[in-house]
């Protein structure tokens, strides 16, 4: 039995990826259905994402979608991975999460990122520019102040003030340093650049300052994990996203996911092919035994307390089967499904699950 797998939490981030031949509404309903399945399988959290003006992603309003997910489930923690704070006024974000926490007490997470739009056109439509991300630390401090009732404006955020909604920082670039200084849990990815991930984790732990939100460092590693009956089947789960990423890197637009069998037959330039092949590597993909070995290595290298799985693919049945197999790995490592105690004193209101 692997103690590192048995003691880690496992969670899901679904980005509401649209699929060729399917609508955005279907993608959102797919997300809600997957959340119910994740809860039944014992996953700890289910998060949704924020993207604007992206053909391949339907999730543009994460707090609205999180409310739908929370309303369709009973126990699993629900949150955002994340709300892009530079796109919004911190007061409004605090109010939204205050409403969520009031409706679903003890189940809501507040994952926060610093990205500003996918293209120049999206940033103009949002009334933002790239420089707005530079003040993420200040925006974060202002947001947390609304919950603590410490705003210098004299205004009070309702119903947020006095509530505890666990905040997490999505650590892209300097995010690890910001999370450490603020004393917040950190989410870091992706699995394809392990050395960069380890550097970020080490920097975060070395510079962490205890806060009212977390008494010690809490690390969530995120990335794609695909589990199937054979290595070939697991690889096919990766194909739609790899093709879509290659297309976005060469055409400037992020498209809906194609079926794997079609994507494999599409003509690509040498540059596209390079991005595509790169997109198929570095993930945790394979049979249960192979993925369990990879998880054990990942968790030993990073000493992370949690894994946030971000897998996207065209075949929803195969995706669900992958999550079932991953949950099976965790149950087996825990000796039949006994819940494991958390490895850090991160404030949460219920026993950790898969």
């Amino acid at each position: 039995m692997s103690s590192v797998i048995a003691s880690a939490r496992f969670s899901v981030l679904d980005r509401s990826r649209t699929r060729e031949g399917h609508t955005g509404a279907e993608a959102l309903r797919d997300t809600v259905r997957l959340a119910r399945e994740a809860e039944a399988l014992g996953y700890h959290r289910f998060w949704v994402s924020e993207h604007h003006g992206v053909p391949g992603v339907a999730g543009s309003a994460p707090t609205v979608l999180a409310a739908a997910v929370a309303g369709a489930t009973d126990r699993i923690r629900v949150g955002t991975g994340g709300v892009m704070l530079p796109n919004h006024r911190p007061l409004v974000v605090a109010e939204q999460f205050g409403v969520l926490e009031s409706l679903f007490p003890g189940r809501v997470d507040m994952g926060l990122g610093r990205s500003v739009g996918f293209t120049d056109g999206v940033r103009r439509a949002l009334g933002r520019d790239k420089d707005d991300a530079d003040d993420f630390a200040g925006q974060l401090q202002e947001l947390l102040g609304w919950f603590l009732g410490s705003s210098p404006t004299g205004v009070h955020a309702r119903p947020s003030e006095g509530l505890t909604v666990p905040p997490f920082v999505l650590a892209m670039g300097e995010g690890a340093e910001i999370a450490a200084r603020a004393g917040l849990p950190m989410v870091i990815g992706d699995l394809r650049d392990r050395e960069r991930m380890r550097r970020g984790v080490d920097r975060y732990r070395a510079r962490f300052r205890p806060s009212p939100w977390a008494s010690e460092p809490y690390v969530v590693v995120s990335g794609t994990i695909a589990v199937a009956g054979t290595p070939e089947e697991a690889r096919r789960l990766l194909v739609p996203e790899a093709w879509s990423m290659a297309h976005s890197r060469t055409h400037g637009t992020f498209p809906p996911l194609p079926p794997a069998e079609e994507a494999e037959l599409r003509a690509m330039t040498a540059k596209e092919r390079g991005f595509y092949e790169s997109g198929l590597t570095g993930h945790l993909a394979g049979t249960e035994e192979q993925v369990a070995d990879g998880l054990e290595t990942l968790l030993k290298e990073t000493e992370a307390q949690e894994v946030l799985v971000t897998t996207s693919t065209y075949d929803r049945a195969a995706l669900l089967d992958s999550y079932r197999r991953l949950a099976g790995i965790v149950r087996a490592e825990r000796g039949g499904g006994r819940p494991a105690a958390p490895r850090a004193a991160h404030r949460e209101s219920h026993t950790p699950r898969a």
Side-chain angles (χ1 to χ4, degrees):
M1 184 171 72
S2 168
S3 61
V4 290
I5 295 177
S7 60
R9 292 166 167 165
F10 285 80
S11 301
V12 177
L13 167 63
D14 191 71
R15 290 179 292 143
S16 303
R17 291 288 273 113
T18 54
R19 298 179 290 155
E20 289 184 1
H22 298 266
T23 65
E26 288 178 277
L28 296 172
R29 294 188 186 104
D30 284 342
T31 292
V32 175
R33 280 193 289 268
L34 182 60
R36 293 195 193 102
E37 296 285 356
E39 179 174 74
L41 291 168
Y43 284 92
H44 182 59
R45 316 177 198 277
F46 191 94
W47 282 5
V48 297
S49 62
E50 174 182 340
H51 296 273
H52 300 282
V54 180
V57 182
S60 56
T63 53
V64 176
L65 184 53
V69 167
T73 54
D74 298 313
R75 304 175 306 279
I76 194 168
R77 295 194 67 86
V78 177
T80 56
V83 165
M84 296 301 137
L85 197 50
N87 291 340
H88 311 279
R89 292 301 308 165
L91 170 62
V92 175
V93 175
E95 290 171 337
Q96 291 172 345
F97 279 99
V99 169
L100 281 171
E101 176 63 21
S102 299
L103 292 172
F104 308 101
R107 292 181 59 203
V108 176
D109 300 321
M110 186 166 57
L112 305 161
R114 63 189 294 269
S115 296
V116 189
F118 186 65
T119 64
D120 289 338
V122 169
R123 287 189 286 272
R124 285 195 299 272
L126 290 170
R128 299 291 188 268
D129 58 44
K130 291 182 179 180
D131 294 341
D132 288 309
D134 294 340
D135 191 35
F136 178 65
Q139 295 157 352
L140 186 62
Q141 182 179 16
E142 180 183 345
L143 171 63
L144 299 180
W146 290 114
F147 289 93
L148 299 173
S150 58
S151 172
T153 65
V155 175
H156 296 273
R158 310 292 185 194
S160 315
E161 188 172 310
L163 297 179
T164 299
V165 182
F168 296 73
V169 172
L170 276 61
M172 301 299 291
E174 66 179 273
E177 182 104 11
I178 293 171
R181 289 199 305 267
L184 300 180
M186 177 186 71
V187 183
I188 188 166
D190 63 47
L191 303 181
R192 292 176 297 174
D193 192 343
R194 300 291 181 86
E195 183 56 37
R196 182 183 180 191
M197 176 185 283
R198 284 193 294 268
R199 288 198 304 269
V201 169
D202 290 345
R203 187 165 61 250
Y204 166 72
R205 287 202 175 103
R207 303 180 184 182
F208 183 86
R209 301 175 185 173
S211 76
W213 306 96
S215 59
E216 57 187 86
Y218 189 89
V219 174
V220 184
V221 292
S222 67
T224 295
I225 301 177
V227 196
T230 67
E232 294 75 22
E233 289 172 338
R235 181 186 180 280
R236 287 176 67 80
L237 280 166
L238 307 176
V239 166
E241 185 76 6
W243 180 88
S244 187
M245 288 295 295
H247 184 90
S248 71
R249 296 288 297 274
T250 52
H251 293 77
T253 182
F254 198 61
L257 295 172
E261 59 272 15
E262 293 185 16
E264 289 177 314
L265 296 175
R266 290 180 178 177
M268 301 183 205
T269 66
K271 187 176 183 180
E272 288 171 325
R273 178 66 62 179
F275 285 130
Y276 171 73
E277 295 294 343
S278 175
L280 292 172
T281 62
H283 310 290
L284 290 181
T287 63
E288 281 95 331
E289 183 177 0
Q290 290 170 324
V291 170
D293 288 344
L295 279 172
E296 185 170 6
T297 298
L298 171 68
L299 290 168
K300 285 180 176 178
E301 287 177 349
T302 62
E303 298 183 7
Q305 289 96 335
E306 187 168 342
V307 179
L308 181 66
V309 186
T310 63
T311 310
S312 297
T313 196
Y314 181 92
D315 187 337
R316 298 297 294 189
L319 178 65
L320 178 56
D321 182 63
S322 176
Y323 278 117
R324 285 176 178 153
R325 289 173 183 269
L326 178 58
I329 293 170
V330 178
R331 283 195 302 272
E333 297 293 350
R334 291 179 181 171
R338 293 189 297 274
R343 291 191 286 152
H346 176 50
R347 294 168 55 185
E348 290 192 339
S349 61
H350 64 286
T351 303
R353 301 166 63 84

